Amino acid sequence: MRVQCVLCDQLSQLEDDSSLAKKLRNRPIHTYMCPSCHDRIKAKTEARLASGSFQLYSYNTQDDDF
C-alpha cells in the first residue's frame, strides 16, 4: 500500500497485511506520518514538556458546577 506523509509529502510503501495499513484503509480519518516526522514532533514535544512552561489542558466532560 502506498501512503503519503501529511507533513512532508514523502511517499512510503507499507505492507498490505500490516496493522497500520488496515487502520488507514478502514478508517479514512486517520492519516499517515513518516517515522522521521513522527520522531521530530516527539522530540519537540518532549522538549516543550521539559521546559516547564508547557501546560496541558484536559477537556472535562462533566461540569462540577451544576
Side-chain angles (χ1 to χ4, degrees), residues 4-64:
Q4 185 174 6
C5 178
V6 294
L7 298 177
C8 66
D9 295 331
Q10 176 186 2
L11 292 175
S12 300
Q13 187 73 22
L14 292 177
E15 292 185 25
D16 290 334
D17 296 335
S18 69
S19 62
L20 180 59
K22 290 179 183 178
K23 182 173 78 169
L24 292 172
R25 219 177 321 165
N26 292 330
R27 299 183 188 125
I29 191 73
H30 291 258
T31 56
Y32 173 77
M33 198 175 346
C34 66
S36 62
C37 288
H38 185 269
D39 293 340
R40 181 173 46 92
I41 289 175
K42 180 181 176 184
K44 287 186 176 190
T45 302
E46 289 173 351
R48 274 198 323 255
L49 286 172
S51 71
S53 63
F54 179 74
Q55 191 171 11
L56 182 65
Y57 294 100
S58 63
Y59 179 72
N60 189 2
T61 58
Q62 297 175 346
D63 286 331
D64 294 332

